[in-house]
Amino acid sequence: MRNFQIRKVAVLGAGVMGAQIAAHLVNANVQTLLFDLPAKEGAPALTPSSLPHAGERDAVSLREVPLNGIVNKALEGLKKLDPSPLSSPAKVQYIQAANYEHHLERLRECDLVIEAIAERMDWKSDLYHKVAPHLNEHAIFATNTSGLSINQLAAAFPEALRHRFCGIHFFNPPRYMHLVELIACENTDVGLLDQLETFLVSGLGKGVVRAKDTPNFIANRIGVFSLLATAHHARQMGLGFDTVDALTGRYLGGPTSITNRTLDVVGLDTFAHVVNTMRDNLADDPWHQYFAVPDWLEKLIAQGALGQKSKRGIYQKFGKEIRVLDLASGEYRVADNEVGLGMKELLRERDWVKKLALLHSNPHPQAQFLWAMFRDVFHYCALQLEYIADNARDLDRAVRWGFGWDSGPFEIWQAAGWQQVAGWINEDIAAGKTMSRVPLPAWANEASRTAVHTAQGSYSPRPSGEGRGVREQSVGGYQPRSTLSVYQRQLFPERLLGEAADKGETIFENESVRLWHTGDDIAILSFKTKMHVIGDEVLDSIIKAVGEAEANWRGLIIWQNEPPFSAGANLLQLMQGLQEPASDAGMFGKLKQAANRVKYTVAGGGSMGDLFNAATGNVPRVEAVIAKFQQATMRIKYAQVPVVSAVDGLALGGGCEIIMHSARVVASLESYIGLVEVGVGVLPAGGGSKEATLRAASEAKGGDLFPFLRRYFQNIAMGEVAKSAELAREMGYLRPSDRIVLNRFEILHVAKQEIHALTATDYRPPLPATQIPVAGRPGIATLQAAMVNMLQGGFISEHDYKVGCAVADTLCGGDVEAGSLVDEQWLLDLERKHFMALLATDKTQARIEYMLKNGKPLRN
C-alpha cells in the first residue's frame, strides 16, 4: 500500500456528533468539509469556505451559492457549547460547509470520509449509494455508528470499495473523550486500518481500541451493561438515584459524573437507544433480561425529560439547588447523597483485596448492592471477552477511556485477588443469586490463573498466533501491546495493572523531585509533590537540575509522570514556614500540616492574620523565598542548555511561570494554563509579571505598547485560564514557536525532538533584556481608570481594585515616564515588592484561608 496521508476529511451529517467530530478535526489542523442536506430556506452561506472550489470563489455570485443553512446552524451551535468542542473559537471558520445536492464532487478531494448521520440502517444505506460514486480511489470510508453491524452496513457499499470501509466510533464529546473504537468489516484492508489508527492516535490524540463487529462493540457493551446491572440491583435494594451515585463514582474509581449523572449527560434517549440495540440484537445473551428500558426511563423520555440537554432528567436544577427524581412519588426532591453507617470508611479503603472482601461479607444492603454490581460486571466481562475484543487489555482500556473508570473491570478483579473473586462468583452462580446461571468460562477458572495482565501481555481467549497484521501476535495466550510505529512516540504510555513499566535511570532524587534519564543524553526533571506544587525543595532542585544539565547533558525537560504539570506554589506552605525557625529544611512544609495549623488557629478564635503575624521578624525570609523563585525561573531562561517544559493538564500560577521562562514548551492540547494568583489576593511574582511586560514589548515591535500590555493585564487581573493550549497561545502564555501536541502521551517524545532541534547548532540562551520599554505612569493611570469604572459598577471589590492596581503598576514598569527603558531585574523587584505588600493585607490572608478551607476563591 502507498504511503497514505490524511490531509482532508469530509464528515457526513451535521448533527451533535458530526459537527463535534468536524470541530476536533480542525482542532488538529485537518482540512474539513461538513456535509448535510441543503436547507430549503434561509440566507445563503456568506463565507468563502462555503463555495464549491477555492479557485472559483471570485466567479461565483452570491445568488449561485447553495444554501448550507443546516450546516451553518450547526457551526453556530458549536460556539455555544460548554465545554467547547473547539480548541479556539476561531477554529470554526475552518470547517467548510457543504451539502449533498451541490458539493458531492468535493468528496474526491478527501482522504477520509466519516459518516455520522442518525442510527438508521436504511438512511445510512441510501447515503452510501449516493456518495460512493464520488469517492477517490484511495479514500477510507468510515461510519461513526455506535453499535450497528459494520458488516451489514458494508453490504450497502459497492463491493469493489468494501476493502476501504470500516467503523470508527468516537465517543461524545469527541474532543475530550480519549477512546475511538476501530471496527473492521470482513473485507477491510488490515493495512488501511493500521494507517487509520496511526492518524487517530497521533493526528487526533486518541486512544484506539480494535473492536469486533458485535452490537455496541466493547465500551458501550460493557459500560451500558454495568449501568443496567447497577439499576437492577438498586431497584431490588430500594436505593434512590442519589444514594447510588454516592456509593459509586470516585470512591470506586468511576467518573466524577457518577452513574445516574452520567445518564443525564449522555442523554436518556441515547441510553435507551443503546439498550434497545442490545435487546434487539442479543437475544441469545445470557443476561438478556437486563436489556430492557425501565418504565420510569420510558416515562421520562415521553415527557421530553432527556437529561442535561433538556435541563431535566434523573436530576433537575431548581435555582442553585440540585434535586433528584423520587420514584415513589414521581416528584423531584433535594438530593442528600447519604450512605449507610460505616460505608464511607469501607469505600475509602484503597486496597482492592480488602475492599471487595468487605463488600462481599458485609450484610449491609448497600454493601451487598455494590458486591452484586461488581460480581455481575466481572461475570459478564469474562463471558463476553472472546466475542467482543481481541484481549483483556482492549476491554479494560475501552471502559477506562470510554466511561471514565480509573481501572478496567479485569484490572479491579485482578487487584482484588483473581482466585478469591472467581470463587465468590462461582458460589453465587451455584446459589442462584445471579441473573445468568452460565458458569464462568474455563480460562477464568484455571487454578493457576492469578492475572490477565502481565509483563508479557494481556490474556487473549483466541488461539495463539491469530494476530492481526503488525499490531500484535499472541504468545502463550497473552498478547503484547501493538507494534505499530506510532506507539514508539509514546515513551511512557498509560499502563494497566500488571504491565511492566520502565522508570528510567535516576540522576538524583529527594522527597520533592526526581532528575532522571532514559539512556540518552537528555535529563528529565519530574516533581513528586501533590498536584506537583512548587515548594522550597522544588526550587532548590530546579536550580540544581539546571546546573547538572549544563555540566553533563544535552538539555533538560521538565515533565510530570501524570497531569497536572503544576498547580503552582502553595502559599499556605509558605505561611506554615513562617512559624518555623530557619533551617536547612526550608520554609515550605507539607500542605496537610499547614491546613491543620490554620484550622487550629481559626478554631482558637484566631485568623490567618494571626498566623502571619506570629512570624514577627520573618518577613525577610518570606521575601527570600520569592527571590529564590525568581532565581529558579531565571536559571531556566538563561541556562546554557535548552530547558523544555512538557506540559499536560493544569499549569497554573508558578507552573505557568516556569513554562514562560522555558526555551520551548511542548503542550498537549488539553493544557489549561494561566497566572491565577489574584484569586488569593497576590500577583505573579516568580517572573510571570515580568515576562508579560517583556512579551507585550516584543509584540509591539517598537509601536504602541499599550494595546498589547492591556491584554496581559486583563488576563492576569482577571485570573484568566486558557481552556486549551491553542487559547494559551492566543493569550500569550505560549509563543508561536511552542508546540501543541494532540496526544498527551507523545509530549515527552516531542520535547526530546525539540531539544535535538535546538542543539543542532551551537545552542545559546537569549541575551539578557536590558532595554525593555514600559508604559509607565500614563499606562498605570489608564488601567486604573478602567478599574474605577468596574469598581463603581459593582463588578469588582475594593480589594480586587487594590490587587489590580498592583498588577498595573508592575506591568507598566512603576513610577516612570512612558517609554522609559528598564531591565528584567527592575521588573522582578517590582513583582516582589507588590507581592509582599499584598501578602501583608488582612483581605489577602482571608482569601488564602478561604481557598484552603473551600477550594475556591473568595470575593472580598
Side-chain angles (χ1 to χ4, degrees):
M1 180 175 286
R2 72 189 182 101
N3 184 21
F4 187 80
Q5 289 187 331
I6 295 177
R7 296 155 296 189
K8 182 178 286 190
V9 178
V11 180
L12 310 183
V16 172
M17 282 300 291
Q20 292 196 57
I21 290 170
H24 193 59
L25 286 164
V26 294
N27 288 342
N29 292 328
V30 177
Q31 295 183 62
T32 304
L33 296 169
L34 180 58
F35 279 78
D36 212 302
L37 296 167
K40 295 180 180 179
E41 56 185 18
L46 300 179
T47 59
S49 62
S50 298
L51 299 179
H53 294 282
E56 299 175 9
R57 288 174 185 165
D58 295 334
V60 180
S61 71
L62 256 182
R63 292 178 191 172
E64 296 170 318
V65 177
L67 301 180
N68 293 315
I70 293 175
V71 175
N72 290 337
K73 183 178 180 180
L75 298 183
E76 285 300 312
L78 290 176
K79 301 175 186 177
K80 301 173 184 177
L81 292 176
D82 186 23
S84 176
L86 297 158
S87 60
S88 164
K91 288 284 188 180
V92 74
Q93 67 183 304
Y94 298 106
I95 302 175
Q96 301 176 48
N99 67 69
Y100 304 128
E101 184 175 330
H102 302 90
H103 302 136
L104 286 181
E105 278 301 309
R106 296 208 63 185
L107 290 175
R108 298 192 191 280
E109 306 166 16
C110 300
D111 307 297
L112 170 64
V113 178
I114 300 173
E115 171 268 303
I117 68 170
E119 292 286 81
R120 286 272 301 268
M121 188 75 73
D122 54 340
W123 291 0
K124 290 178 186 288
S125 297
D126 289 345
L127 181 62
Y128 297 172
H129 287 299
K130 187 170 189 175
V131 303
H134 302 279
L135 301 176
N136 78 54
E137 61 177 329
H138 300 294
I140 301 171
F141 192 95
T143 174
N144 183 57
T145 179
S146 61
L148 297 179
S149 170
I150 302 301
N151 280 297
Q152 288 184 38
L153 288 170
F157 216 60
E159 186 174 358
L161 304 180
R162 288 177 195 166
H163 66 287
R164 289 151 43 200
F165 186 90
C166 64
I168 179 174
H169 181 209
F170 288 85
F171 277 65
N172 190 22
R175 171 184 164 185
Y176 301 98
M177 296 302 290
H178 190 56
L179 177 65
V180 171
E181 291 175 316
L182 202 54
I183 312 99
C185 71
E186 293 175 355
N187 305 99
T188 305
D189 185 317
V190 173
L192 177 147
L193 282 184
D194 290 342
Q195 293 176 335
L196 183 54
E197 181 168 350
T198 296
F199 168 72
L200 291 168
V201 170
S202 196
L204 298 188
K206 296 304 174 186
V208 172
V209 168
R210 301 273 184 108
K212 296 184 179 182
D213 185 22
T214 55
N216 293 342
F217 312 128
I218 302 174
N220 276 342
R221 181 75 170 269
I222 301 302
V224 170
F225 176 85
S226 73
L227 292 171
L228 291 171
T230 299
H232 171 79
H233 291 298
R235 193 69 183 267
Q236 280 197 326
M237 299 288 184
L239 303 179
F241 295 116
D242 49 341
T243 301
V244 170
D245 282 350
L247 290 168
T248 57
R250 297 311 302 164
Y251 283 131
L252 296 181
T256 52
S257 56
I258 39 188
T259 306
N260 295 300
R261 288 188 189 276
T262 296
L263 297 183
D264 272 353
V265 171
V266 168
L268 301 185
D269 55 337
T270 302
F271 177 69
H273 170 77
V274 175
V275 173
N276 287 332
T277 299
M278 295 173 73
R279 181 198 63 205
D280 296 341
N281 294 284
L282 295 169
D284 295 331
D285 192 297
W287 301 83
H288 189 263
Q289 289 178 268
Y290 271 15
F291 306 156
V293 177
D295 293 342
W296 59 264
L297 182 55
E298 289 185 334
K299 186 175 180 181
L300 285 175
I301 294 171
Q303 295 171 354
L306 306 179
Q308 185 172 281
K309 57 189 173 186
S310 65
K311 299 185 179 179
R312 183 165 78 91
I314 296 172
Y315 289 89
Q316 185 175 10
K317 192 171 184 179
F318 291 81
K320 294 184 177 181
E321 187 177 72
I322 301 293
R323 298 184 187 177
V324 64
L325 179 66
D326 185 291
L327 288 180
S329 66
E331 302 295 328
Y332 288 85
R333 58 169 174 78
V334 176
D336 56 30
N337 298 315
E338 285 299 317
V339 299
L341 186 65
M343 286 298 299
K344 192 170 291 186
E345 290 72 22
L346 188 159
L347 291 171
R348 288 195 175 115
E349 173 58 59
R350 291 174 177 265
D351 185 338
W352 275 107
V353 172
K354 296 178 181 177
K355 179 182 284 188
L356 220 57
L358 289 169
L359 291 175
H360 177 259
S361 62
N362 193 321
H364 194 291
Q366 293 180 0
Q368 287 303 295
F369 155 72
L370 290 172
W371 159 247
M373 180 191 71
F374 276 118
R375 178 200 64 210
D376 285 359
V377 171
F378 295 158
H379 190 184
Y380 194 74
C381 289
L383 289 175
Q384 299 301 330
L385 175 60
E386 66 176 299
Y387 304 109
I388 66 175
D390 286 339
N391 54 65
R393 177 179 54 252
D394 285 350
L395 187 148
D396 274 350
R397 291 202 298 191
V399 176
R400 272 188 175 206
W401 296 340
F403 278 76
W405 290 30
D406 290 343
S407 301
F410 285 132
E411 284 185 283
I412 297 172
W413 185 349
Q414 180 171 322
W418 189 275
Q419 289 294 324
Q420 180 67 80
V421 174
W424 291 334
I425 296 173
N426 288 329
E427 289 172 3
D428 281 6
I429 294 172
K433 294 182 179 180
T434 60
M435 177 76 73
S436 170
R437 305 297 172 83
V438 178
L440 287 172
W443 67 263
N445 272 325
E446 291 172 353
S448 61
R449 180 163 305 285
T450 59
V452 292
H453 303 302
T454 70
Q456 291 72 43
S458 293
Y459 176 75
S460 172
R462 69 187 186 186
S464 178
E466 195 183 314
R468 182 177 292 176
V470 301
R471 294 189 69 243
E472 68 246 343
Q473 293 288 322
S474 294
V475 180
Y478 289 86
Q479 285 186 0
R481 283 175 173 258
S482 171
T483 57
L484 277 177
S485 60
V486 68
Y487 292 110
Q488 294 175 15
R489 297 169 59 86
Q490 299 186 13
L491 304 183
F492 293 90
E494 186 176 56
R495 295 289 175 183
L496 298 178
L497 178 71
E499 287 190 302
D502 180 13
K503 296 184 179 179
E505 296 292 329
T506 299
I507 301 170
F508 75 75
E509 187 171 11
N510 54 43
E511 290 187 359
S512 298
V513 307
R514 177 178 178 240
L515 185 70
W516 56 289
H517 67 91
T518 61
D520 55 15
D521 55 358
I522 297 172
I524 303 167
L525 183 67
S526 299
F527 301 170
K528 295 164 56 180
T529 51
K530 185 177 182 180
M531 296 290 287
H532 303 136
V533 294
I534 303 163
D536 195 48
E537 190 173 42
V538 172
L539 294 174
D540 285 333
S541 299
I542 290 173
I543 295 168
K544 180 179 177 181
V546 172
E548 167 68 23
E550 288 175 328
N552 299 306
W553 303 88
R554 178 189 290 265
L556 174 65
I557 297 172
I558 303 176
W559 174 81
Q560 317 301 1
N561 294 297
E562 58 184 19
F565 178 76
S566 176
N570 195 296
L571 293 177
L572 289 174
Q573 295 180 323
L574 173 62
M575 300 298 268
Q576 185 235 359
L578 285 169
Q579 289 188 306
E580 298 176 348
S583 71
D584 291 338
M587 289 177 280
F588 285 76
K590 294 181 179 178
L591 176 59
K592 185 174 181 180
Q593 295 172 339
N596 289 339
R597 291 195 181 199
V598 172
K599 291 175 182 176
Y600 174 81
T601 303
V602 174
S607 66
M608 183 63 73
D610 298 326
L611 179 60
F612 183 85
N613 295 328
T616 55
N618 283 338
V619 170
R621 290 177 52 207
V622 181
E623 189 165 3
V625 173
I626 305 306
K628 184 187 289 186
F629 207 127
Q630 295 177 341
Q631 179 191 359
T633 55
M634 291 294 276
R635 281 292 282 130
I636 289 171
K637 182 173 183 177
Y638 292 109
Q640 294 303 306
V641 294
V643 179
V644 173
S645 287
V647 180
D648 181 34
L650 297 175
L652 304 179
C656 180
E657 289 174 303
I658 285 175
I659 71 173
M660 291 179 75
H661 287 81
S662 301
R664 188 79 84 243
V665 179
V666 176
S668 74
L669 183 69
E670 301 310 327
S671 295
Y672 310 107
I673 302 170
L675 296 170
V676 296
E677 288 84 350
V678 296
V680 288
V682 292
L683 83 172
S689 299
K690 176 263 298 180
E691 281 298 304
T693 300
L694 260 173
R695 293 188 180 193
S698 175
E699 291 164 13
K701 298 179 180 178
D704 185 5
L705 170 65
F706 191 75
F708 302 95
L709 194 68
R710 179 171 53 203
R711 180 185 65 162
Y712 285 100
F713 170 78
Q714 290 173 339
N715 290 339
I716 294 173
M718 300 299 291
E720 293 286 348
V721 176
K723 294 182 179 179
S724 72
E726 199 72 54
L727 284 174
R729 178 177 280 161
E730 293 178 14
M731 294 168 68
Y733 294 133
L734 298 182
R735 298 155 297 195
S737 59
D738 293 327
R739 307 293 183 220
I740 297 175
V741 177
L742 271 289
N743 195 312
R744 70 183 186 91
F745 296 109
E746 294 184 358
I747 60 173
L748 182 58
H749 166 80
V750 177
K752 288 193 174 193
Q753 297 305 308
E754 289 297 313
I755 294 281
H756 285 288
L758 289 167
T759 56
T761 56
D762 188 22
Y763 175 77
R764 299 286 176 177
L767 294 172
T770 58
Q771 302 284 303
I772 307 167
V774 294
R777 286 187 290 272
I780 296 170
T782 302
L783 294 175
Q784 286 179 339
M787 287 189 292
V788 166
N789 291 335
M790 294 183 70
L791 179 63
Q792 292 175 344
F795 298 105
I796 62 174
S797 68
E798 290 280 356
H799 196 58
D800 291 331
Y801 177 76
K802 183 180 185 72
V803 175
C805 287
V807 174
D809 188 81
T810 302
L811 295 186
C812 293
D815 188 14
V816 296
E817 294 293 334
S820 296
L821 301 177
V822 302
D823 61 15
E824 287 183 271
Q825 192 57 52
W826 174 274
L827 295 172
L828 289 171
D829 291 343
L830 275 175
E831 281 185 358
R832 198 168 61 253
K833 179 188 78 171
H834 284 299
F835 181 94
M836 295 305 301
L838 291 169
L839 189 61
T841 64
D842 291 339
K843 289 189 175 180
T844 285
Q845 292 160 24
R847 288 189 179 191
I848 294 171
E849 179 181 342
Y850 190 87
M851 178 67 77
L852 172 68
K853 294 172 65 177
N854 301 284
K856 55 186 179 181
L858 170 70
R859 280 291 307 277
N860 63 356

